DNA sequence: CCAAAAGTGTTATGCTTACACCCATGC
DNA sequence: GCATGGGTGTAAGCATAACACTTTTGG
């Protein structure tokens, strides 16, 4: 490791000419289980907010990318890996942590049902219990984490409505009814079955896997996402180009 | 000022138990002038990247909110104030600044034509020249600022298509043709005049001011934005509620 | 009277919504 | 055979996209 920007002092520590906030990442990890949208929280063992629940997270390493820090913290604190991850927002009110100035970069993560089944969620060494909470029945949260979570839920809703990302909460193969339940749970409202199916199928992101889900009743067709469609942001344009039949690329910026 | 998280040492400076990245804000300030979309850049006087152009920005104060830091830096470095400001994204690759680890929170800003006319853009003490650049004819940029700017342009385009925010680049009163020119310049494509007018007027965000713009040719009606419409995100829902006639609010998160 | 920008409607097409019944299976 | 969830079509209304000429002013 190369400490070119730091200067360990006699009193052991890192010294800078100007004060610096601490920089952390916080993870909002969503999963879908038993028809519930859940989020992973950790019980704090120490003050401040001892006993309260908090988002997993921690300090960014000296030479570590933010994205890598997010993945590492999730792994270390909850033993979860292999998730979809995107940056959400950066929260930096001066008093959000009573101990010191902390700027936190919040990350938004989705765990698929397959990964959820395979992985054993457990708490890291210095963390308290880790457990999943129903997003609509949360405990009291530490710091400003309730606000962060609310913002993450907004983003998740937006993503579901405008992108193919809902798929990331499901197993590789799933029925349309299962998919609809994800949508209804996240958006928190009932959807019309026929219109939902038509719309999803028309969007072209799904393909039949050929298999059927055997169950208590009539078996259901299984679908998967056509690989190319993942993360394809297909919000339609409000001011389409005159010749918008052939999908045209937007003009690039000279650099 | 209260330094509870810091520990000034004998060698003068701020010492922490663990290393901390520096935290900065960078501003992408857009304005619309002479039918061009422009961005404000500052010429660097010192290495690294001496002579190259860069986004205005600087360090976040020890007890300063990120948003406040963004406003302050814009004021100090370019003498610009009174802009629309929103957080864009946080960039934190370990090597984005060769001197030290810097995590920067980028802010996206829009300067109205009225403010542009009133304010004198000038460089702050320690900064080099400040000037406006056409977004489609940029100089070489310092650091990863080209990437940040590209992301900001994407966001601006999205905002124009889905919200009322284009208005913030214009004077308080403007003609529909002027508004169309903003859209065409930002989106970088031609729009149909009749459809543009119908769509904008139908969206209900404009009202006639009652005044006319006298000019070289036929005078044009002036419009303004109905105050309530500003920042009203009116992207329509992809999965509307069954009873979506009366605009219903989305369910709140328990906190 | 000419140049330049402002202003204006209609049609065809496709998408959205609302809505109710039959089908296949397990027990 | 019945309970349960899987699966399907249509009609009405609405928004979109394409398209060209007239109006008003200044010089």
């Amino acid at each position: 490791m190369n400490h070119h920007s730091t200067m360990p002092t006699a009193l052991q520590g890192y010294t800078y000419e100007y004060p610096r906030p601490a920089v952390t990442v916080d993870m909002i990890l969503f999963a879908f289980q038993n028809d519930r949208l859940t989020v992973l929280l950790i019980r704090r063992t120490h003050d401040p907010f001892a006993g309260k629940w908090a988002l997993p997270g921690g300090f960014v390493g000296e030479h570590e990318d933010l994205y890598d820090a997010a993945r590492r913290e999730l792994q270390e604190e909850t033993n979860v890996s292999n998730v979809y991850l995107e940056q959400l927002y950066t929260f930096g009110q001066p008093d959000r942590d009573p101990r010191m100035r902390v700027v936190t970069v919040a990350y938004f993560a989705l765990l698929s049902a397959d990964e959820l089944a395979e992985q054993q969620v457990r708490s890291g060494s210095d963390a308290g219990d880790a457990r999943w909470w129903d997003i609509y029945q949360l405990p009291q949260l530490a710091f400003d984490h309730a606000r962060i979570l609310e913002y993450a839920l907004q983003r998740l809703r937006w993503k579901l409505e405008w992108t193919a990302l809902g798929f990331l909460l499901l197993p590789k193969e799933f029925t349309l009814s299962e998919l609809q339940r994800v949508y209804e749970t996240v958006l928190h409202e009932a959807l019309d079955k026929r219109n939902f199916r038509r719309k999803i199928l028309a969007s072209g992101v799904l393909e039949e896997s050929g298999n059927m889900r055997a169950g208590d009743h009539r078996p259901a067709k299984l679908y998967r996402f056509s690989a190319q469609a993942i993360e394809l942001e297909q919000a339609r344009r409000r001011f389409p180009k005159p010749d918008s039949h052939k999908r045209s690329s937007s003009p690039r910026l000279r650099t």
Side-chain angles (χ1 to χ4, degrees), chain A residues 240-251:
Chain A
K241 317 188 89 153
D243 63 331
S244 63
H245 310 290
K246 32 201 140 173
R247 345 190 109 246
S248 43
S249 57
S250 73

Side-chain angles (χ1 to χ4, degrees), chain A residues 6-48:
Chain A
T6 62
M7 210 180 6
T9 67
L11 348 154
Q12 196 202 37
Y14 296 84
T15 299
Y16 308 100
E17 194 177 348
Y18 299 102
R20 297 185 173 188
V23 177
T24 61
V25 288
D26 281 320
M27 312 288 310
I28 303 92
L29 177 62
F30 290 113
F32 188 72
Q33 37 192 332
N34 304 122
D35 283 356
R36 292 200 139 64
L37 177 64
T38 59
V39 64
L40 189 61
L41 299 176
I42 291 180
R43 187 190 198 113
R44 289 183 59 80
T45 49
H46 300 301
D47 265 323

Side-chain angles (χ1 to χ4, degrees), chain A residues 42-68:
Chain A
I42 291 180
R43 187 190 198 113
R44 289 183 59 80
T45 49
H46 300 301
D47 265 323
F49 300 103
K52 294 274 188 295
W53 294 81
L55 298 170
F59 293 95
V60 173
E62 190 175 12
H63 304 292
E64 182 181 43
D65 190 57
L66 298 173
Y67 182 89
D68 295 335

